[in-house]
Amino acid sequence: MQILKSSEDYLETMLMMKEQHGYIRSIDIATELGVTKPSVSYATKRLRENGYITMDKDGLITLTDKGMDIAERIYLRHRTLTSFLIRIGVDERTAREDACKIEHDISDQTFAAICKFAEKQA
């Protein structure tokens, strides 16, 4: 399954919004990602067209099963990588920022090896 990094970021942010607020609104996504409302509108249109989200008549966004699968995978990678980087001595802010960059490009094999290594160190 090929998906753009920016789309993964949007889906991950939507999942975090749902967990934090119980709902997902475009304006909150724009604020969280530091992008314009038109950028969010364009991205959500693409995500809807590809079956990752739905929007109701009030503009509330819901992740489809397909969208939720991607969001959960990226969010798990983000949390795991952030924790790993902090444990090896990276400050929390830098660890979060770096994890966001790494989470999209790291192979499944490397991610699994990091998880296995981190478990042994726990």
Side-chain angles (χ1 to χ4, degrees), residues 20-110:
Q20 291 170 2
H21 308 294
Y23 56 86
I24 308 165
R25 299 183 312 171
S26 294
I27 188 67
D28 299 323
I29 296 166
T31 301
E32 181 69 23
L33 292 176
V35 298
T36 63
K37 292 180 210 173
S39 293
V40 174
S41 180
Y42 177 75
T44 54
K45 179 182 179 207
R46 281 193 346 257
L47 292 170
R48 272 195 327 272
E49 290 170 349
N50 289 306
Y52 296 117
I53 64 169
T54 60
M55 289 181 89
D56 68 15
K57 60 182 170 61
D58 297 320
L60 292 177
I61 298 167
T62 302
L63 290 161
T64 64
D65 290 343
K66 184 176 165 182
M68 183 64 81
D69 287 345
I70 293 167
E72 287 176 337
R73 178 178 55 84
I74 295 298
Y75 193 39
L76 171 64
R77 284 178 172 227
H78 183 90
R79 289 189 327 261
T80 301
L81 291 166
T82 299
S83 175
F84 177 75
L85 293 171
I86 290 169
R87 287 175 57 194
I88 63 171
V90 178
D91 69 89
E92 186 175 345
R93 181 171 184 248
T94 302
R96 278 195 313 264
E97 291 171 0
D98 287 349
C100 193
K101 296 171 193 169
I102 298 167
E103 68 195 17
H104 303 287
D105 293 322
I106 193 170
S107 70
D108 290 339
Q109 179 183 3
T110 300

